[in-house]
Amino acid sequence: MSSALIIFISHPVKLGESITIIDKEFDISGRVSDIGLFYVILKTDTNEKIMIPNNIFLQKATKISL
């Protein structure tokens, strides 16, 4: 719950932005479609939805594509 508060206050990403979450095993890319209390939801190029828990979203490095 505190992760959601940090995301809402600091606004690290906005709806519609393309982002890549950098992980040592594999990167996750997509467009931010929703920011909720527990999850950030990304929509991929293949129309899949990926739900990332807010605490994981804040812990990983995030690359925002312009």
Side-chain angles (χ1 to χ4, degrees):
M1 204 80 147
S2 60
S3 299
L5 187 60
I6 292 169
I7 291 172
F8 287 128
I9 291 172
S10 67
H11 300 290
V13 295
K14 296 180 180 116
L15 292 178
E17 286 185 326
S18 293
I19 66 169
T20 301
I21 296 177
I22 302 167
D23 192 22
K24 63 181 174 184
E25 293 181 20
F26 59 92
D27 296 343
I28 301 170
S29 296
R31 192 170 291 276
V32 179
S33 65
D34 191 22
I35 301 172
L37 285 176
F38 301 105
Y39 296 97
V40 172
I41 299 175
L42 300 181
K43 192 170 187 181
T44 65
D45 293 336
T46 57
N47 244 5
E48 296 175 317
K49 288 187 177 179
I50 301 173
M51 297 173 64
I52 302 168
N54 288 340
N55 62 337
I56 301 296
F57 179 79
L58 287 175
Q59 291 174 2
K60 300 291 181 179
T62 304
K63 180 172 72 172
I64 301 172
S65 304
L66 299 176

